[in-house]
Amino acid sequence: MVDIKAISERDRSSVLHPFTQLKDFASGKSGDPTIVTGGKGIRIEDAQGRAYIDGFAGLYCVNIGYGRTEVADAIARQAYKLAYYHTYAAHTTEELAILSDRLVRMAPGKPSKVFFGLSGSDANETQAKLVWYYNNLRGQPKKKKIISRERGYHGCSVVSGSMTGMSFYHDHMDLPFAGILHTGAPHYYWGAEPGETEDSFSRRRAAELEALILREGPETIGAFIAEPVLGTGGITPPPTGYWREIQAVLRRYDVLLIADEVICGFGRTGADFGSTLYGIEPDLVTVAKGLTSGYVPLSGAIVGERVYAVMEEAAERVGAFSHGYTYSGHPIAAAAANAVLDIVQKEQLSERARIVGSHFQKRLKERFAQLEIVGEVRGVGLLGAVEFVADRQTKRRFDPHHKVGARISKAARDRGLIARAMPHGDILGFAPPLIVSEAEIDEIVDLAYRATKQVMDELA
Ligand code: PLP
């Protein structure tokens, strides 16, 4: 039996929780921590015995669902055999070599090598260093600035946090870092001008990107980083034509493209990668989350041929590639990732996400699109969002003090559904495990609908 009181007290007095209002938590005003004790399939359970459908797969990562013993067995086997060795100076393990080869074969673009890290944030930090390294080595030392998008999310470390295009991730922390620039978000609902089509909106966003590159000087712009589908910034699929237009600009000015596949990778959108779905040909690809389904920490910065060729060619001149972590390519993480990818492939989870995802998108629209506080219902595959507004005609937002998104998320939770109040606006986000069934989708959408109706009644 879990001692809820003792654990809560220990936690409250010692854990610095991410994304938690510290004073309310310290004083108990925001309640006790939720002590998560178990999980199976799409559900988790807390210490009080309450079960929740996890409609967000942890943080969009537990794609294969909870409690997969195949992965636990693979982790244990590797731990018994060899719990740790590093990958410096050309050391490796069998699981790592298998995993890396697999990723190079399946990743979008023209992948050549994989640098392993522990989180999406550190992988994007690595990507920035690779952009700088590549341009130094090929004699373009000024070509260092990196452009990301407003409302993009790329992590919380110094450079990745700067790439993240939401000011509340920067405030009071001296970010963004110099040399990281932002361009407009690809969100048609909020960004389009009256009468503008999706295609012309995409062209305008690409023209803005081009204007920014020209203003700064193309010889100073090293890379553009973006998620195929904008994730934490609101779960927003790109408008039609967006990726074609953007890539044309990047090619014109010799700017590398980093596809941040941390959420989209390994099936979430109904394709193996978001890049596959939208015809993106990246030079560098970031993966994490779904790579191990969150069972252990692991990320990858996948380096395309174009960048790697320059690195190898310069090696005699510059010496060893001096970047790496104690835990780069950790054998237990590699074993877990191989077991996860076995499941993803055997159970055809990308295809499943496409089929069940189309049911999900249809049900979300049927249930929510007509509600008077719903501005937009959007998504792709098993990523979805409902955005709430005070006035559908004028697209007037709710007064932030009403905390409409957070209240709906809380009302859903009280009914046993975890759906995330996204941080930018009043948005309820969904990203269930990819093993979810159509019946479970109906249950998720129904619970979210009833939670929304409850808050609508409270607002009336
Ligand atoms: N990139 C994207 C697209 C993400 O969604 C996230 C996390 O949500 C990250 C990077 C950062 O990953 P991590 O939290 O593992 O550092």
Side-chain angles (χ1 to χ4, degrees):
M1 192 56 194
V2 174
D3 186 341
I4 297 174
K5 195 161 171 287
I7 294 174
S8 296
E9 276 169 16
R10 280 192 169 170
D11 181 284
R12 200 188 298 289
S13 63
S14 64
V15 178
L16 182 56
H17 284 277
F19 303 101
T20 300
Q21 212 267 36
L22 300 182
K23 191 153 195 179
D24 286 352
F25 182 63
S27 69
K29 188 176 162 198
S30 57
D32 286 332
T34 304
I35 305 166
V36 184
T37 51
K40 187 92 196 135
I42 67 160
R43 290 175 162 80
I44 60 161
E45 197 178 288
D46 72 13
Q48 282 163 326
R50 280 184 303 228
Y52 303 87
I53 294 179
D54 187 359
F56 215 76
L59 289 171
Y60 340 69
C61 56
V62 189
N63 292 353
I64 59 167
Y66 294 91
R68 301 298 299 255
T69 52
E70 307 93 304
V71 183
D73 289 343
I75 290 170
R77 265 196 312 274
Q78 184 61 44
Y80 278 114
K81 188 171 150 192
L82 176 73
Y84 173 77
Y85 207 74
H86 65 77
T87 52
Y88 282 38
H91 289 80
T92 196
T93 57
E94 185 179 4
E95 290 287 350
L96 183 69
I98 291 170
L99 174 64
S100 195
D101 176 65
R102 233 169 152 163
L103 290 174
V104 166
R105 285 172 197 279
M106 72 189 293
K110 295 193 177 71
S112 176
K113 302 286 179 291
V114 187
F115 177 87
F116 290 94
L118 295 154
S119 69
S121 299
D122 75 49
N124 282 330
E125 209 81 9
T126 292
Q127 301 290 29
K129 285 180 76 176
L130 288 172
V131 170
W132 301 335
Y133 192 57
Y134 164 76
N135 279 316
N136 285 333
L137 297 183
R138 70 183 186 126
Q140 302 254 19
K142 280 166 65 187
K143 210 164 167 61
K144 299 288 173 53
K145 292 176 195 164
I146 298 175
I147 301 177
S148 66
R149 302 174 305 175
E150 286 155 15
R151 288 175 47 200
Y153 186 80
H154 301 291
C156 262
S157 52
V158 175
V159 174
S160 72
S162 300
M163 292 165 168
T164 289
M166 286 171 273
S167 58
F168 44 87
Y169 290 103
H170 300 157
D171 294 344
H172 318 294
M173 292 200 175
D174 292 5
L175 298 184
F177 191 70
I180 308 290
L181 311 169
H182 295 94
T183 190
H187 195 174
Y188 180 74
Y189 175 81
W190 287 112
E193 285 168 357
E196 199 173 35
T197 64
E198 280 197 38
D199 280 295
S200 52
F201 171 65
S202 293
R203 277 195 294 279
R204 181 157 62 82
R205 282 289 184 249
E208 286 165 7
L209 173 65
E210 181 162 26
L212 175 61
I213 293 172
L214 291 173
R215 201 162 58 239
E216 297 286 328
E219 73 286 358
T220 72
I221 306 294
F224 176 78
I225 182 166
E227 307 150 84
V229 177
L230 202 83
T232 300
I235 305 189
T236 309
T240 56
Y242 177 79
W243 277 109
R244 186 188 60 235
E245 300 292 334
I246 291 288
Q247 289 183 98
V249 172
L250 301 177
R251 278 189 210 109
R252 204 169 300 143
Y253 299 104
D254 186 26
V255 173
L256 294 173
L257 171 55
I258 310 167
D260 185 339
E261 293 270 4
V262 167
I263 293 174
C264 294
F266 311 105
R268 172 65 53 198
T269 64
D272 287 346
F273 291 89
S275 296
T276 329
L277 187 65
Y278 296 113
I280 303 170
E281 291 170 34
D283 300 291
L284 299 160
V285 178
T286 308
V287 292
K289 296 193 190 278
L291 176 57
T292 57
S293 263
Y295 276 54
V296 287
L298 182 68
S299 64
I302 303 176
V303 188
E305 284 172 5
R306 175 180 169 193
V307 174
Y308 178 73
V310 169
M311 293 167 62
E312 188 178 304
E313 197 273 327
E316 279 182 3
R317 186 162 42 94
V318 300
F321 175 59
S322 300
H323 176 68
Y325 308 128
T326 302
Y327 301 129
S328 286
H330 196 288
I332 289 180
N338 279 322
V340 167
L341 294 184
D342 286 345
I343 292 173
V344 169
Q345 280 159 354
K346 200 166 73 215
E347 298 180 9
Q348 300 184 321
L349 292 187
S350 301
E351 179 62 3
R352 193 182 161 119
R354 191 180 66 76
I355 296 165
V356 180
S358 96
H359 175 76
F360 171 53
Q361 301 300 334
K362 186 165 137 274
R363 294 294 290 150
L364 261 192
K365 286 220 159 64
E366 280 169 5
R367 286 296 239 168
F368 284 93
Q370 301 312 318
L371 292 184
E372 69 196 32
I373 64 163
V374 171
E376 189 182 38
V377 181
R378 55 182 183 256
V380 59
L382 284 168
L383 265 179
V386 179
E387 181 143 6
F388 304 99
V389 288
D391 187 322
R392 281 153 70 96
Q393 262 64 50
T394 61
K395 297 187 181 173
R396 181 169 55 82
R397 290 183 190 273
F398 279 106
D399 178 340
H401 290 108
H402 290 314
K403 296 189 176 353
V404 171
R407 277 165 64 184
I408 294 174
S409 173
K410 162 91 173 45
R413 201 182 171 90
D414 292 344
R415 289 174 156 75
L417 169 68
I418 296 170
R420 186 174 179 200
M422 308 302 292
H424 193 280
D426 290 305
I427 303 166
L428 195 64
F430 304 86
L434 306 186
I435 50 144
V436 69
S437 68
E438 291 195 356
E440 287 166 335
I441 286 291
D442 293 346
E443 204 178 338
I444 290 171
V445 175
D446 189 54
L447 288 167
Y449 175 80
R450 285 195 276 134
T452 305
K453 287 294 259 184
Q454 177 196 318
V455 174
M456 283 175 74
D457 288 345
E458 288 166 15
L459 289 168

